[in-house]
Amino acid sequence: MHQHSFDKTDEVRLIVFKNMSLIISVVALIVAYINIFINKNIALGFIELALAIFCIFTYQQILTKRSKLWHRYAVIYTYFVVVLLAIAVIKLDTGISHWLCTFPVLVYLLFGKKQGLISSFSLLLAVLLIFYIIDKTVTQVNFKLITNVSLTYIIVWGISHVFESMRASNQEEIINLALRDTLTQAYNRRAFKSHFDKHIDFSKPYCFALGDLDFFKKVNDEYGHDAGDAVLVQLTQLFKTHLGDEHVYRFGGEEFTLVVNNDLETAITVMNKLRIDIENHQFTYLQSTLNITISLGLVDIEAREHTNLSDILRLADNYLYLAKQNGRNCIVNGRTKISNECREVLTK
């Protein structure tokens, strides 16, 4: 299942990048003015002016929805190359080195944990190298300042890493809660709709079956709802063994939708093997052994003239109804021989 359909991280990062570009452009313009007209550091000032212009460009690209991923890399790494250049040419006691501490926060916000870890570590090595060069070329170096800046950088880096790790973990948990059935951990109806709408390639064969356990109410009545829950959990594991986790959806109660990314003939074979395995499987609850069967309505989406989800679900439900009417523990599909009386059910 493509969980990224529900992951809004990239959208949030784009908003962060938009505002970051605007802020950096304003700051770069101010610093460029100071370096050009006050400090007379013309070269550095024009480099900062170029950074400001590029950030304005990326801001405009975002507004017109033409932003690319490389824009983010270009802005963030150009920004910190400028900071490193400033550290190399400006006295450390001016406080220029404190700008380094903004890097871990920004890179984790824009790129996440992995890229944040690599980039933050790489910048720290680069900064230590610059400090070493300064130590060799300058007679007096403020080691206390260097130590404080380095330790502050490491603290900010560590906090950024922990925060991003927790954010990613919490988001994954939230997405699972939204997409998974809490009892069986199968995907739910919402996940199926997203999969159907966004990730099905209708140029290839695609089938799904609507399945419903036979006489499941008797299990709950005779053994209790806890037994019914145990059966559903074990049944879901059987489904996943045959089809894979991403092809199993619980629609509610004892009703499941099962996906087969293949033609109807193959899907019939797969579903029939699954049906037989369920029939022969011994479901257990406490000291009891339960025998369960399933009825299935199988739809070949490739053969349909349209791909409206509601219509296809209705057809699958009608096939399932015919399977129940046909004695249960069977599969009904478009090739199943049915009476004219039963055909009327399909057209309702």
Side-chain angles (χ1 to χ4, degrees):
M1 174 64 195
H2 299 264
Q3 294 195 10
H4 64 263
S5 302
F6 296 84
D7 187 349
K8 304 301 180 183
T9 299
D10 198 58
E11 295 177 20
V12 172
R13 285 178 178 158
L14 186 61
I15 295 172
V16 171
F17 179 52
K18 180 181 72 172
N19 290 279
M20 185 186 300
S21 296
L22 182 61
I23 294 170
I24 292 177
S25 65
V26 172
V27 172
L29 285 172
I30 295 173
V31 176
Y33 176 85
I34 293 173
N35 280 323
I36 294 173
F37 296 103
I38 298 177
N39 296 336
K40 303 304 180 181
N41 197 329
I42 307 299
L44 182 59
F46 274 101
I47 291 174
E48 291 163 344
L49 180 61
L51 173 61
I53 294 172
F54 182 67
C55 286
I56 293 172
F57 166 76
T58 58
Y59 181 79
Q60 185 271 338
Q61 292 293 100
I62 297 171
L63 292 180
T64 56
K65 298 182 179 180
R66 291 182 293 178
S67 176
K68 306 296 182 182
L69 181 61
W70 71 266
H71 291 156
R72 304 185 198 182
Y73 284 100
V75 167
I76 198 71
Y77 292 120
T78 302
Y79 168 58
F80 285 102
V81 165
V82 172
V83 172
L84 292 177
L85 287 173
I87 292 174
V89 301
I90 298 176
K91 293 181 179 180
L92 290 178
D93 57 11
T94 61
I96 188 66
S97 56
H98 290 84
W99 287 88
L100 294 170
C101 297
T102 61
F103 185 77
V105 176
L106 297 182
V107 77
Y108 273 94
L109 283 174
L110 286 184
F111 304 114
K113 184 172 64 174
K114 181 179 179 180
Q115 189 63 39
L117 178 64
I118 295 172
S119 298
S120 297
F121 179 72
S122 300
L123 181 70
L124 182 59
L125 290 181
V127 170
L128 293 176
L129 178 61
I130 291 175
F131 285 162
Y132 174 78
I133 294 173
I134 293 174
D135 183 30
K136 293 296 183 181
T137 57
V138 180
T139 55
Q140 287 186 334
V141 177
N142 192 334
F143 289 105
K144 289 184 179 180
L145 176 61
I146 293 174
T147 301
N148 286 327
V149 169
S150 300
L151 292 178
T152 303
Y153 180 92
I154 292 172
I155 290 173
V156 174
W157 174 15
I159 293 173
S160 299
H161 186 83
V162 171
F163 178 83
E164 176 60 23
S165 298
M166 293 181 64
R167 185 207 62 79
S169 177
N170 289 338
Q171 178 172 273
E172 183 177 355
E173 184 177 349
I174 290 170
I175 291 176
N176 272 327
L177 287 174
L179 300 182
R180 296 275 187 178
D181 171 59
T182 54
L183 173 65
T184 63
Q185 289 302 299
Y187 285 110
N188 58 24
R189 183 184 289 264
R190 177 186 295 174
F192 177 78
K193 187 177 187 304
S194 174
H195 181 85
F196 187 92
D197 291 341
K198 300 178 181 179
H199 303 295
I200 293 180
D201 182 0
F202 291 105
S203 65
K204 300 177 181 179
Y206 182 88
C207 301
F208 75 84
L210 195 62
D212 188 88
L213 293 180
D214 300 325
F215 303 112
F216 188 66
K217 186 176 182 298
K218 291 184 178 179
V219 174
N220 289 324
D221 291 343
E222 184 173 349
Y223 298 96
H225 287 280
D226 287 344
D229 289 348
V231 168
L232 291 174
V233 170
Q234 294 170 52
L235 177 70
T236 301
Q237 292 306 311
L238 269 179
F239 289 152
K240 291 181 179 180
T241 299
H242 280 262
L243 304 172
D245 175 63
E246 70 277 11
H247 292 152
V248 180
Y249 302 83
R250 185 187 180 195
F251 270 30
E254 66 271 26
E255 188 174 85
F256 289 81
T257 295
L258 310 172
V259 176
V260 179
N261 292 336
N262 218 314
D263 56 35
L264 182 59
E265 184 175 352
T266 302
I268 292 172
T269 301
V270 171
M271 288 295 106
N272 196 50
K273 185 175 186 307
L274 174 61
R275 180 192 63 80
I276 294 173
D277 282 359
I278 292 172
E279 181 182 14
N280 295 331
H281 186 79
Q282 290 187 335
F283 295 88
T284 59
Y285 174 70
L286 299 179
Q287 304 301 319
S288 302
T289 299
L290 300 85
N291 295 317
I292 301 294
T293 60
I294 191 171
S295 300
L296 297 151
L298 181 63
V299 176
D300 175 15
I301 294 181
E302 184 188 32
R304 303 288 297 152
E305 295 180 356
H306 51 77
T307 54
N308 181 279
L309 180 58
S310 297
D311 291 342
I312 292 174
L313 284 174
R314 187 179 300 109
L315 178 60
D317 192 54
N318 285 332
Y319 282 153
L320 176 59
Y321 174 82
L322 292 178
K324 296 288 188 181
Q325 293 296 101
N326 197 47
R328 294 179 170 81
N329 190 24
C330 64
I331 304 168
V332 171
N333 58 80
R335 297 181 184 177
T336 304
K337 293 182 179 180
I338 51 179
S339 66
N340 290 330
E341 180 180 351
C342 289
R343 287 183 187 277
E344 293 180 3
V345 177
L346 299 179
T347 59
K348 288 184 180 178

